[in-house]
Amino acid sequence: SPDSSDLLKNAWLSGFIDGDGSFDIRVSLVKNGALKDRVAARFRLEQSQVDFKSQMSYFELFSLISKSLLVKLALSKHNENKEYFLIKLSSQKARANLVDYLDNYPLFSSKLLNYKCWRECHSLRNKNEHLTEKGKNTALFLKSKILLP
């Protein structure tokens, strides 16, 4: 039978994030090259709505993940308008929740390096250091270290 334990109390979600999650840092620039005050640390977890082999829906699972991560379940469309479940978070509360979880149940793939950069950007935002010139430049540096899939 499916595991019904709290997702944030075991490492299963960490493994799922290792496979399908992504960490992103965004730093907005204005036209003259100056850095704006916009620095974002974002996380996404996206999956087809239905398992290819079993044809079972992932709705319950993604609803549980979104609830555990304190965000709403969303949909995205791409690949010939195919719909996917999407969990995205960028708010301070949701980021902090994910940090607490991943610090207890760490990632093991190269995604761990992306997470460390993302977590540092999250920390910059929590301390409002992303509003300083030094903080914006740090965020740009962290963004440059994120490995693309």
Side-chain angles (χ1 to χ4, degrees), residues 46-134:
E46 190 171 20
Q47 185 71 247
S48 173
Q49 288 186 341
V50 177
D51 178 69
F52 178 73
K53 283 187 175 182
S54 71
Q55 293 300 302
M56 291 181 66
S57 172
Y58 286 126
F59 177 75
E60 285 186 43
L61 173 62
F62 266 70
S63 294
L64 181 60
I65 294 170
S66 64
K67 182 179 176 183
S68 297
L69 294 177
L70 309 173
V71 296
K72 291 182 181 179
L73 180 58
L75 295 176
S76 69
K77 282 187 182 184
H78 49 90
N79 295 342
E80 300 174 12
N81 284 329
K82 185 176 178 185
E83 287 191 334
Y84 295 80
F85 287 124
L86 172 64
I87 293 171
K88 56 184 179 177
L89 57 89
S90 59
S91 75
Q92 183 176 357
K93 184 177 181 180
R95 286 192 325 264
N97 190 38
L98 185 60
V99 166
D100 288 344
Y101 173 75
L102 289 176
D103 284 352
N104 284 318
Y105 302 100
L107 302 167
F108 288 103
S109 73
S110 61
K111 223 166 265 185
L112 175 62
L113 301 174
N114 289 355
Y115 168 68
K116 287 182 176 184
C117 291
W118 179 89
R119 187 177 88 200
E120 193 172 334
C121 185
H122 161 73
S123 179
L124 283 174
R125 291 206 25 98
N126 285 352
K127 298 174 189 172
N128 285 326
E129 292 175 1
H130 69 291
L131 300 173
T132 69
E133 201 64 31
K134 180 181 177 188

Side-chain angles (χ1 to χ4, degrees), residues 132-149:
T132 69
E133 201 64 31
K134 180 181 177 188
K136 291 179 227 177
N137 286 319
T138 299
L140 271 177
F141 174 72
L142 293 169
K143 177 185 169 102
S144 75
K145 290 175 56 176
I146 297 263
L147 303 170
L148 298 176

